[in-house]
Amino acid sequence: MVPALPPTPLLQPLPSTQNIGDSIFPKLGQAGLDVLNYDLALTVARPGTPQIQAEVTLLLTATRPLPQIRLDVVGPTVSSVRWNGRAVPFRTDSNAQKLLVSLPAPLLPGVRGNLTVRYAGTPGTVRDPDFNFPVNLGWQSVPAEGATAGANFTLSEPNGTRTFLPSNDHPSDKATFTTRITVPVGFIGAASGVQVAQTGVSGGPQTFVFSQAQPIPTYALAIHVNKFERVESPAVPVGVGGSPVQRRDYFPLGTPQPTRDAYIRTAEMMRVLSDWFGPYPFSAYGVAVVTPPLPALETATLSTMPVSSSREPVALHELAHQWFGNDISPADWSDVWLNEGFATYAELLWAEAQGEDGQEMAARWWNSLDRGGTRPLVARRAEQLFDLSAYRRGALALHALRVAIGDDSFRTFVQTYAARYSGGTVRTADLLALARTQTGSAGEAALRLWIESPTLPPLPVVP
Ligand code: ARG
Ligand code: ZN
C-alpha cells in the first residue's frame, strides 16, 4: 500500500532542487529519475545538414515518487509524448531547457515505464565551456564539399547530448542504448555498441541498428553518419574472462594513410592497457574519423577522432577513457579529473611499454604545471574541467601513488578500482577511500597531497 500523494502540479516548473544538483552544471538532470535504457530511432535524411527526425523511448524508473518527468533538451521541436503508449501532456520550457511531462500518476520507486518522445528539427546550441575549443557541443553537421559527402556526428562532452536527444543528461544517470540510424542509400550509420542489424530495401534508405548493452554516460554516446569505409580487424581477447572484443574502424572515403596509421596499433594498445587496468569493459572498440579540427572524444566503443588528432598518443588516450570515463564515470562534473588523469597517465604507461622513459614524461608534465600554474584537482568552474591540471596534475597524482606503493601494488590498486566501480560512478572521495583500504595511509597521503594541495607538490621520484 502506498500512501496518498499530494495532487500532481500540472506542468509547473519545479524548483531547481529538483535537478540532480551537479556542482558545475546545477541545471542538468532530474533528481530521482533513473533512465535504464534509451531506444533511439534517428533519421538523417540529408547528411551534412543539421536537421534530424527522431523518436526515442526511455525506459524509466525512479528513486523517489515523480509526478513529472523533466528531461534536458535544447533544440528540436517535440511533437508528441506518450507514457506507456498513451499520449500525455507536455511542455518545453526553453528557458530552463527542459521538456516537462506530466504523468497520469506519479512514477514510484521499483516501477518501470516507457516514455516515448517524438521530435524533429534543428538541434540546439550548447557552447563548449572549454575556452580552448570555442565550439558548439552536441550534434555536429559537416556540409558536403566537392567530392566529400556531408556528415553528422555527436561530440557532446560535457553537456551536449541534449541538443539531439531529450535525456537525463548527466553522467550520474548512466544507461544502455539501442540506436537505430536511418540514412540515405550510400551512407553508413554507426553508433556506440555492436551493430545488430541493417535493414532497408536495396537502393533505398538503410537503417543501422546498434546495441550498447553496458551502461554509459549520455555524453559518451557516439552517433556517426558519413560515406565510410568500415574496416574490420581481428577480435582482441582482452574482454572480461578473456572474451574477444570486436574491432572495427570507420574511415571517411578517401581518408589518407597517415591518418589511418594512428590506429594500426590499436590491438597492441588494448593489450597493454588491459594488463594495467584489467579486462576491457565493452564488446567492441574502434574509431570513427571526422574531418573538422575539434577535440577528440572517447565516445563509447567508438572514439571520435578528428583527422587533426589522429596521432598515436591521442588514440591511446581515448582508448584509456573506455575504462576511465565510460565504464567508470564521474558522479559529478567536478570529478572529471578522474577521467582525464587516468587517460593521461595511460599515455605514460604506453610510452614505458615502448621502452621510453616514463619518469621523463612525468617531469615534463610537472614543468608545464610549474610554469603554467595549477589548482586542486576537484574543479570549481566549468573552464577548469579540461584544463592542464585535470590532465597532467591528475596523471601526476596517480604517478605519486605508484611511486609511493610500487608497481605491483599500483597495478592491483588500479584493477581493484576498475572492477569495483565498473558500470557505475565515482567521486574523488571514493578513490581516496579505496586507496586507504587497499594501499594504507602512505598511498592515501600521496594521492591526497596531489588532489588537495593549493600549490604544486614536488615531482614524485622513485627512491
Ligand atoms: N574527454 C576529451 C579527451 O580528453 C576531451 C573533451 C574536451 N571537451 C571539451 N568540451 N572541450 O579526450
Ligand atoms: Zn581525455
Side-chain angles (χ1 to χ4, degrees):
M1 187 63 189
V2 175
L5 287 155
T8 306
L10 183 67
L11 303 179
Q12 287 310 299
L14 295 175
S16 59
T17 53
Q18 298 299 300
N19 300 334
I20 280 174
D22 187 86
S23 58
I24 307 287
F25 300 111
K27 294 178 176 157
L28 284 183
Q30 178 176 20
L33 177 63
D34 182 4
V35 183
L36 302 169
N37 181 67
Y38 295 85
D39 188 325
L40 170 64
L42 179 73
T43 301
V44 179
R46 296 178 56 210
T49 69
Q51 282 74 28
I52 56 174
Q53 234 186 302
E55 182 170 291
V56 62
T57 296
L58 295 79
L59 176 60
L60 303 181
T61 186
T63 58
R64 67 173 79 159
L66 297 177
Q68 203 183 53
I69 304 299
R70 300 160 49 84
L71 298 179
D72 298 300
V73 66
V74 206
T77 306
V78 175
S79 58
S80 80
V81 179
R82 304 193 304 275
W83 176 244
N84 293 329
R86 293 255 172 94
V88 285
F90 68 94
R91 179 167 81 78
T92 351
D93 180 336
S94 45
N95 267 333
Q97 304 186 319
K98 298 281 182 184
L99 170 66
L100 311 175
V101 180
S102 235
L103 298 182
L107 176 61
L108 301 177
V111 178
R112 292 178 175 198
N114 281 299
L115 187 74
T116 302
V117 181
R118 185 174 291 181
Y119 57 100
T122 308
T125 305
V126 171
R127 243 0 226 181
D128 193 332
D130 177 351
F131 295 151
N132 298 320
F133 280 103
V135 301
N136 292 326
L137 298 173
W139 190 247
Q140 308 288 316
S141 308
V142 188
E145 206 191 299
T148 312
N152 297 91
F153 61 95
T154 58
L155 195 87
S156 307
E157 190 186 20
N159 57 353
T161 294
R162 61 211 171 107
T163 64
F164 65 90
L165 177 66
S167 51
N168 200 26
D169 197 7
H170 190 270
S172 63
D173 186 9
K174 300 171 72 170
T176 55
F177 287 81
T178 305
T179 310
R180 310 163 195 272
I181 312 164
T182 302
V183 296
V185 64
F187 283 84
I188 285 186
S192 292
V194 291
Q195 184 173 318
V196 292
Q198 177 183 347
T199 59
V201 294
S202 90
Q206 298 293 303
T207 301
F208 296 83
V209 185
F210 287 80
S211 166
Q212 169 64 44
Q214 299 83 21
I216 56 167
T218 48
Y219 73 80
L221 175 66
I223 299 177
H224 283 265
V225 173
N226 204 340
K227 291 197 173 169
F228 279 122
E229 181 186 345
R230 182 182 193 270
V231 180
E232 292 185 17
S233 301
V236 188
V238 294
V240 179
S243 59
V245 177
Q246 191 188 105
R247 280 275 305 112
R248 74 282 180 270
D249 298 302
Y250 291 82
F251 298 114
L253 297 183
T255 300
Q257 195 56 39
T259 300
R260 298 172 188 238
D261 285 350
Y263 310 107
I264 286 176
R265 302 179 71 190
T266 300
E268 222 179 316
M269 291 175 176
M270 292 169 75
R271 288 201 178 83
V272 168
L273 291 190
S274 62
D275 265 1
W276 278 105
F277 301 158
Y280 178 81
F282 302 119
S283 317
Y285 188 67
V287 301
V289 167
V290 299
T291 50
L294 294 162
L297 186 63
E298 64 265 27
T299 34
T301 79
L302 186 63
S303 291
T304 300
M305 303 298 302
V307 170
S308 55
S309 291
S310 291
R311 298 188 307 274
E312 222 174 65
V314 187
L316 184 286
H317 179 106
E318 306 313 332
L319 170 61
H321 273 309
Q322 304 302 318
W323 282 264
F324 303 107
N326 295 350
D327 184 38
I328 301 179
S329 310
D332 188 278
W333 278 110
S334 63
D335 295 307
V336 73
W337 79 269
L338 292 168
N339 292 6
E340 299 307 341
F342 271 102
T344 304
Y345 200 62
E347 296 174 44
L348 182 150
L349 297 172
W350 171 250
E352 286 184 345
Q354 313 311 302
E356 290 165 35
D357 185 346
Q359 185 63 28
E360 201 172 276
M361 193 167 198
R364 280 202 305 275
W365 291 339
W366 191 91
N367 286 326
S368 71
L369 291 164
D370 192 37
R371 284 194 308 271
T374 181
R375 60 168 175 87
L377 282 172
V378 177
R380 282 171 307 150
R381 294 190 305 278
E383 311 86 84
Q384 297 176 329
L385 293 180
F386 305 104
D387 68 5
L388 217 56
S389 288
Y391 285 72
R392 296 188 173 173
R393 180 168 167 158
L396 286 170
L398 300 168
H399 192 54
L401 174 63
R402 179 183 175 196
V403 166
I405 66 178
D407 277 15
D408 291 347
S409 306
F410 180 70
R411 187 187 304 266
T412 306
F413 173 75
V414 173
Q415 293 188 7
T416 306
Y417 172 73
R420 166 105 27 124
Y421 291 105
S422 174
T425 60
V426 277
R427 301 290 318 249
T428 299
D430 297 322
L431 182 78
L432 280 168
L434 191 69
R436 183 173 199 83
T437 57
Q438 299 290 307
T439 76
S441 54
E444 190 210 2
L447 209 44
R448 187 180 289 282
L449 175 70
W450 276 86
I451 291 170
E452 293 178 355
S453 169
T455 57
L456 183 64
L459 174 67
V461 182
V462 191

